[in-house]
Amino acid sequence: MTTASGGALLVVGDVVTDVVARHLGPLAPGTDTAAVIRTVPGGAGANVACWAAHRGAAEVRLLGRVGSDAADRHARALAALGVRPLLVVDPEAATGTVICLVDMGAAGERTFLTDSGASVRLGPDDWSDALLDGVARLHLSGYLLFSEPSRALVTRALASARARGVPVSLDPASAGFLAELGADRFLGLVDGVDVLLPSRDEACLLTGLPDAAEAAAELSRRIPLVVAKQGAEGALVACAGSVRARVPAVPATPRDTTGAGDAFTGAFLAALLTGAEPVEAARAGCVAGAAAVERVGGRPPERE
């Protein structure tokens, strides 16, 4: 598959505030559970952009929608990580908030409570074809498909990218929301996407197949390149109906798995932008995913 080299990466997606509560052992219903709680910037789209910049993408832009309550704070956090923020300030809705419950006794596995807020109010009026000026790749967060305004934006953005010959990638983002939307509807909405980056659960949900490799292969009959993220089992690279490579994970000691898939996606896209082939890019993604799970929150460290 031909990759686009050089130029900017434009990410369109969610920007939210993460409240990360790290607790040891199961929650105790009806009483207290001791936890370490931190408030950090997050959002799948924003995290992808930050990891792409951290992993070598020369220019990364992020289009997202936030509330006036936290617009300046999020813009500063993105800029500090090398991302050019293109934030639309919503006059009515507050910035989205996600409570991340991280069980430190279960390999850092997490459960999300999501108030999408302004992030899913990003709509077609927030899109302009000029956003693609100088852009070599467009990445769409799957969260955009879970509200009507954002679905309309996806349609416009895909048409604009197709007209300019800009390749488009998409991360399904949430197995829970995906189940509500439905696999057939999702696949119809992403028609024209060049790269799909699902998790194991998302790939299986989209195909109805229990085996991740079979699911990735099946998805690649519809989408030119499918890179299925497998967590501790690495990644699968599939195209033209078959798995072409199994990329092993990089050993890591998990503290918080929040944003690990976003880190993979960001590093993968950064590698493609520098001319890497998909398998090499997937290796870069696995390295970033391992780095992410050893940190609290979904973002890389700030540049020194």
Side-chain angles (χ1 to χ4, degrees), residues 157-225:
L158 276 171
S160 182
R162 192 176 299 118
R164 292 204 185 193
V166 174
V168 182
S169 54
L170 186 140
D171 187 326
S174 168
F177 287 155
L178 184 57
E180 293 180 20
L181 181 67
D184 289 343
R185 191 175 184 193
F186 175 90
L187 290 169
L189 288 166
V190 303
D191 184 42
V193 165
D194 301 276
V195 184
L196 187 70
L197 295 125
S199 68
R200 175 196 293 108
D201 290 347
E202 292 157 0
C204 293
L205 183 60
L206 285 170
T207 59
L209 297 171
D211 180 77
E214 291 180 4
E218 180 62 27
L219 285 170
S220 74
R221 299 179 189 277
R222 303 183 60 143
I223 296 165
L225 176 63

Side-chain angles (χ1 to χ4, degrees), residues 15-76:
V15 182
V16 305
T17 299
D18 284 345
V19 180
V20 183
R22 300 170 63 230
H23 58 95
L24 184 60
L27 298 174
T31 186
D32 296 314
T33 300
V36 178
I37 301 174
R38 298 288 183 269
T39 300
V40 295
N47 292 345
V48 166
C50 291
W51 280 99
H54 183 69
R55 290 287 162 168
E59 182 183 356
V60 183
R61 310 169 191 171
L62 173 70
L63 174 65
R65 195 173 182 97
V66 295
S68 59
D69 57 313
D72 291 343
R73 176 157 49 88
H74 279 289
R76 288 194 299 270

